[in-house]
């Protein structure tokens, strides 16, 4: 189990090597994140609701081909978020991707590919 926490949201993320059985949206309290890369490991997941960046929400890495279900633990929070992904570098440091704006309440899936991060 991977645990994500944020002051604005409070997310629990459960890692799975298989696709989610049921899709949801942030408005239903959950969404799925996917590491669609073949060789890259996600080591950081950060959000900013306009009040500054959160701490790293991941309690462990999300490997290639793995997905995680993010569940809201609170009914409050801003739908408009900026998120940023940290990737594991060859020297075991974290390389930050460009920040992405997201409406977390409308997202069903967040995809992290080699050269692109997007959501639907």
């Amino acid at each position: 189990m991977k645990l994500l926490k944020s002051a604005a949201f409070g997310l629990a993320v459960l890692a799975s090597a298989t696709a989610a059985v049921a899709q949801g949206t942030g408005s239903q309290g959950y969404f799925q994140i996917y590491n669609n890369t073949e060789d890259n490991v996600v080591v950081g997941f950060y959000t900013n609701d306009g009040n500054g960046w959160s701490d790293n929400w991941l309690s462990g890495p999300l490997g290639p081909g793995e997905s995680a279900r993010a569940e809201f633990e609170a009914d409050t929070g801003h739908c408009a978020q900026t998120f940023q992904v940290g990737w594991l570098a060859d020297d075991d440091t974290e390389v930050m991707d460009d920040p992405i704006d997201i409406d977390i309440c409308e997202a069903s899936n967040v995809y992290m590919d080699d050269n692109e991060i997007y959501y639907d």
Side-chain angles (χ1 to χ4, degrees), residues 6-120:
S6 165
F9 285 104
L11 291 178
V13 174
L14 307 174
S16 170
T18 61
V21 174
Q23 287 190 351
T25 65
S27 64
Q28 294 172 308
Y30 62 95
F31 60 94
Q32 197 77 10
I33 62 173
Y34 299 89
N35 179 350
N36 286 344
T37 68
E38 291 186 22
D39 298 315
N40 297 308
V41 176
V42 177
V43 294
F45 191 90
Y46 308 90
T47 60
N48 186 340
D49 66 0
N51 293 315
W53 288 100
S54 69
D55 291 332
N56 184 359
W57 291 10
L58 290 177
S59 63
L62 187 64
E66 290 185 323
S67 68
R69 178 176 164 147
E71 296 181 11
F72 288 94
E73 294 177 345
D75 294 333
T76 60
H78 301 283
C79 288
Q81 295 278 324
T82 300
F83 77 89
Q84 191 170 26
V85 175
W87 301 93
L88 183 63
D90 290 337
D91 62 359
D92 291 331
T93 61
E94 184 176 24
V95 176
M96 301 304 293
D97 217 325
D98 292 332
I100 305 290
D101 291 326
I102 185 173
D103 184 327
I104 208 78
C105 297
E106 292 183 5
S108 294
N109 303 290
V110 176
Y111 305 96
M112 297 167 285
D113 291 353
D114 285 318
N115 295 310
E116 182 178 26
I117 297 174
Y118 57 98
Y119 72 97
D120 60 17

